[in-house]
């Protein structure tokens, strides 16, 4: 008995040890599974099941390590859905989520095995393509765009959800953030060119956009810190030389670059939505100056109107008519003291909001004038339909006077058309007394140009008003 008892104890101890070891192994496996699950959750977008930004970083690091070992550099496709915000506003969050899930599946189906598809947030997706040259990455990107082309069924509705896509092939110095930022420049380029297309990153374009952003920031500061100035150019009655109006022309007195002309910053303001703020500044400053001239005894003998340029964005703004009315009321000026000059391109679309704004301005009583007439579309039909009072004829027609004997007859025909539409004509680009006389001889009543005066800052223009009664003085 004594010989068997120890053997049973040993067997029991071994069994317990094995059980403990098995339990520890089980616990370790469970812990490992939990950790793996937590890591998967940390790398996964909850809505779509795609990888998230952390997953993209892991894939980028792995691809860069492979490139360090001799593989090609990776590339990234950045995808931004077109019109997604409007879709969410109209269809609701639940429908928008369905679209995002469908988009995720379509992108995943269009890429190659080994490509990593991620959702970075909202309607932005990224695909990391390991060891992929730009031409191959472009092919993958175009497959993705094609996959997104068909409509997506959402409940009883079918919606289209195209995308703007930017491509950037990595270089050795790139961080992931560098890569995404430069791909985003390409996305912006895609959107600006009409959307639903793939654009590869172009350093020159990106530099231009960075400069544009810098200009926008500086221009916003310029509006609030008195860096902008207005110059004024007279509009003259050809028969008498009397000033009947002046055009306010904005300049930017930049603290570093000096005087910047409007053709260098107005397009940027229009492209970035800053044109409305700039326009309000011009409006209030110009009518304030006109009130000062009308109240100053030294200049009050000149009763002329102020002309300011109006952008297409102004016509599309519901607040613009109120801005004009308030600016005139604050300066106690009658509506007819202000003439708004509209380019042909600003009114040629003739949509509902344009018509409403023009009709409201007409009822308000301000003058409306088509600027640069003849430089663009020159459709005579809309001259009769729009509630405008005047047409300013582009300078290109006057410059050939004296060179072509038939030019004066051509200008007379234009003047007859303007008059037959019940409008007044203002002729731009008059530089000599002979041009002024030729236009007067065919019935043209008003002119503007260097012959009468160049654009001048407010103080110098005031001196001219004090000094002379007719133009040229």
């Amino acid at each position: 008995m004594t010989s068997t008892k120890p053997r049973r104890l040993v067997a029991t101890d071994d069994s317990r040890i094995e059980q403990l070891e098995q339990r520890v192994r089980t616990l370790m496996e469970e812990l490992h599974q939990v950790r793996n699950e937590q890591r998967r959750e940390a790398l996964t977008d909850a809505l779509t099941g795609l990888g998230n930004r952390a997953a993209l970083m892991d894939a980028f690091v792995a691809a860069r390590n492979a490139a360090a070992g001799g593989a090609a550099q990776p590339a990234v496709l950045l995808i931004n859905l077109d019109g997604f915000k409007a879709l969410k506003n109209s269809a609701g969050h639940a429908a928008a989520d369905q679209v995002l899930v469908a988009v995720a599946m379509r992108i995943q189906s269009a890429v190659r095995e080994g490509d990593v598809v991620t959702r970075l947030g909202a309607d932005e997706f990224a695909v990391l393509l390991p060891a992929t040259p730009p031409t191959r990455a472009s092919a993958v990107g175009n497959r993705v765009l094609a996959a997104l082309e068909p409509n997506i069924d959402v409940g009883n509705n079918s919606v289209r959800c195209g995308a703007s896509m930017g491509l950037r092939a990595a270089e050795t110095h790139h961080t992931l953030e560098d890569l995404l930022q430069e791909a985003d420049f390409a996305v912006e380029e895609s959107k600006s060119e009409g959307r639903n297309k793939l654009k590869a990153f172009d350093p020159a374009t990106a530099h231009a956009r960075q400069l544009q952003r810098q200009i926008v920031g500086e221009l916003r500061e310029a509006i609030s810190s008195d860096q902008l100035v207005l110059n004024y150019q007279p509009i003259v009655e050809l028969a008498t030389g009397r000033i009947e109006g002046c055009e306010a022309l904005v300049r930017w007195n930049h603290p570093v670059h000096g005087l910047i002309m409007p053709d260098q910053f107005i397009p940027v303001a229009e492209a970035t939505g800053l044109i409305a703020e700039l326009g309000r500044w011009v409006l209030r400053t110009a009518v304030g100056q006109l009130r000062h001239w009308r109240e100053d005894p030294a200049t009050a003998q000149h009763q002329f109107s102020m002309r300011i340029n109006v952008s297409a964005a102004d016509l599309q703004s519901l607040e613009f008519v109120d801005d004009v009315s308030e600016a005139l009321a604050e300066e106690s000026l009658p509506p007819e003291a202000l003439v708004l000059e509209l380019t042909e391109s600003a009114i040629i679309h003739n949509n509902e909001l344009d018509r409403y704004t023009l009709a409201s301005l007409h009822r308000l009583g301000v003058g409306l004038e088509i600027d640069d007439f003849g430089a663009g579309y020159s459709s005579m039909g809309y001259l009769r339909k729009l509630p405008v009072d005047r047409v300013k004829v582009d300078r290109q027609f006057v410059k050939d006077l004296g060179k072509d004997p038939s030019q004066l007859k051509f200008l007379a025909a234009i003047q007859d058309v303007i008059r037959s539409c019940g409008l007044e004509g203002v002729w731009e680009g008059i530089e000599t007394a002979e041009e002024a006389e030729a236009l007067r001889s065919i019935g043209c009543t008003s002119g503007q140009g260097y012959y009468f005066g160049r654009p001048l800052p407010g103080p110098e223009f005031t001196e001219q008003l004090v000094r002379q009664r007719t133009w040229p003085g």
Side-chain angles (χ1 to χ4, degrees):
M1 291 177 64
T2 58
S3 63
T4 59
K5 190 173 182 180
R7 285 195 294 273
R8 286 198 299 271
L9 288 171
V10 171
T12 302
D13 291 343
D14 288 346
S15 176
R16 289 177 178 174
I17 291 170
E18 288 176 3
Q19 289 175 2
L20 288 171
E21 289 177 348
Q22 180 60 40
R23 186 177 178 185
V24 169
R25 280 196 296 270
T26 301
L27 290 172
M28 292 296 292
E29 288 174 0
E30 290 177 355
L31 180 61
H32 187 66
Q33 289 175 357
V34 169
R35 287 176 175 171
N36 282 341
E37 184 61 29
Q38 289 175 337
R39 177 165 176 76
R40 279 195 296 272
E41 290 179 358
L43 296 174
T44 303
D45 174 61
L47 175 64
T48 63
L50 298 176
N52 57 16
R53 186 177 289 267
L56 183 64
M57 175 59 80
D58 282 0
F60 176 73
V61 171
R64 292 303 293 266
N65 289 339
Q73 291 286 347
V76 70
L77 296 170
L78 192 62
I79 305 159
N80 190 273
L81 301 185
D82 294 332
F84 183 76
K85 183 177 180 181
L87 168 66
K88 184 162 62 174
N89 290 340
S90 61
H93 288 269
D97 286 349
Q98 291 182 49
V99 169
L100 290 172
V101 171
V103 166
M105 294 174 62
R106 290 187 180 188
I107 296 174
Q108 190 74 65
S109 70
V111 301
R112 309 163 303 172
E113 185 178 357
D115 295 337
V116 179
V117 183
T118 60
R119 178 179 175 230
L120 302 184
D123 60 333
E124 189 171 54
F125 297 81
V127 183
L128 194 286
L129 303 97
T132 306
T135 52
R136 195 174 303 168
S138 293
V140 175
N142 284 319
R143 284 206 306 269
V144 170
L145 288 177
L148 296 177
E149 186 68 26
N151 285 6
I152 297 173
D153 292 329
V154 180
N156 296 325
N157 297 321
S158 180
V159 300
R160 183 179 180 279
C161 200
S164 297
M165 183 181 296
L167 163 64
R168 182 54 164 134
E171 299 179 19
T172 54
H173 65 277
H174 273 133
T175 65
L176 178 60
E177 289 306 314
D178 292 335
L179 205 60
L180 290 174
Q181 184 181 45
E182 293 181 357
D184 189 52
F185 280 126
V187 169
E188 290 181 16
E189 192 68 14
S190 172
K191 288 185 180 295
S192 70
E193 291 188 7
R195 307 187 174 193
N196 202 38
K197 61 177 63 177
L198 169 67
K199 292 294 292 184
F201 172 77
D202 175 22
T205 300
H207 180 64
R209 287 195 174 274
Q210 285 177 317
L211 286 177
Q212 183 183 76
R213 289 174 178 173
Q214 179 182 344
I215 290 172
V216 169
E218 292 181 351
L219 183 54
R220 183 172 283 111
E221 173 68 20
I223 294 171
S224 62
S225 61
D226 297 326
Q227 293 179 24
L228 297 181
V229 295
L230 289 182
N231 283 8
Y232 303 92
Q233 186 174 28
I235 296 162
V236 174
E237 188 177 84
L238 295 178
T240 64
R242 180 186 68 86
I243 181 172
E244 63 178 32
C246 74
E247 182 178 0
L249 302 163
V250 65
R251 307 287 189 261
W252 181 0
N253 191 13
H254 195 283
V256 176
H257 303 297
L259 199 64
I260 301 177
M261 301 302 284
D263 59 351
Q264 295 180 267
F265 62 88
I266 293 294
V268 175
E270 290 177 333
T272 58
L274 196 57
I275 190 66
E277 187 176 347
L278 177 61
R280 280 191 293 271
W281 181 90
V282 171
L283 170 65
R284 293 185 178 277
T285 305
V287 296
Q289 178 65 77
L290 182 61
R291 178 195 58 79
H292 177 77
W293 283 330
R294 289 194 172 193
E295 292 183 350
D296 186 348
T299 54
Q301 73 273 17
H302 301 289
Q303 289 294 309
F304 56 88
S305 61
M306 178 65 71
R307 317 289 178 94
I308 67 169
N309 295 284
V310 174
S311 71
D314 290 326
L315 297 182
Q316 289 290 299
S317 170
L318 293 171
E319 295 82 20
F320 181 65
V321 178
D322 290 336
D323 288 341
V324 172
S325 179
E326 290 171 7
L328 290 168
E330 287 175 4
E331 303 297 343
S332 300
L333 289 174
E336 60 269 18
L338 180 65
V339 177
L340 304 177
E341 298 190 357
L342 313 110
T343 61
E344 289 184 83
S345 60
I347 58 176
I348 195 63
H349 300 297
N350 197 25
N351 59 38
E352 184 97 16
L353 189 52
D354 286 352
R355 290 194 294 272
Y356 170 81
T357 303
L358 289 172
S360 299
L361 291 168
H362 184 70
R363 286 194 298 271
L364 181 62
V366 299
L368 297 174
E369 179 175 283
I370 297 176
D371 194 15
D372 297 330
F373 178 74
Y377 305 95
S378 302
S379 169
M380 298 300 159
Y382 74 78
L383 282 182
R384 302 179 65 89
K385 296 177 182 178
L386 292 173
V388 298
D389 312 293
R390 302 172 180 83
V391 170
K392 182 179 282 188
V393 184
D394 189 71
R395 68 185 68 249
Q396 65 175 318
F397 296 103
V398 174
K399 70 178 183 180
D400 290 331
L401 272 176
K403 300 177 183 177
D404 183 353
S406 65
Q407 184 70 6
L408 189 59
K409 292 182 180 179
F410 178 54
L411 300 190
I414 295 176
Q415 175 67 17
D416 287 343
V417 169
I418 293 172
R419 190 182 293 112
S420 69
C421 293
L423 303 174
E424 299 177 16
V426 179
W427 293 77
E428 287 187 292
I430 301 174
E431 297 190 356
T432 65
E434 290 76 18
E435 290 172 346
E437 175 56 28
L439 290 169
R440 190 200 61 76
S441 71
I442 59 173
C444 300
T445 58
S446 305
Q448 181 178 5
Y450 287 175
Y451 172 63
F452 304 110
R454 294 175 178 269
L456 294 174
E460 294 179 35
F461 195 82
T462 300
E463 290 179 9
Q464 197 171 40
L465 291 173
V466 172
R467 191 174 59 249
Q468 61 190 66
R469 292 186 175 273
T470 60
W471 275 255

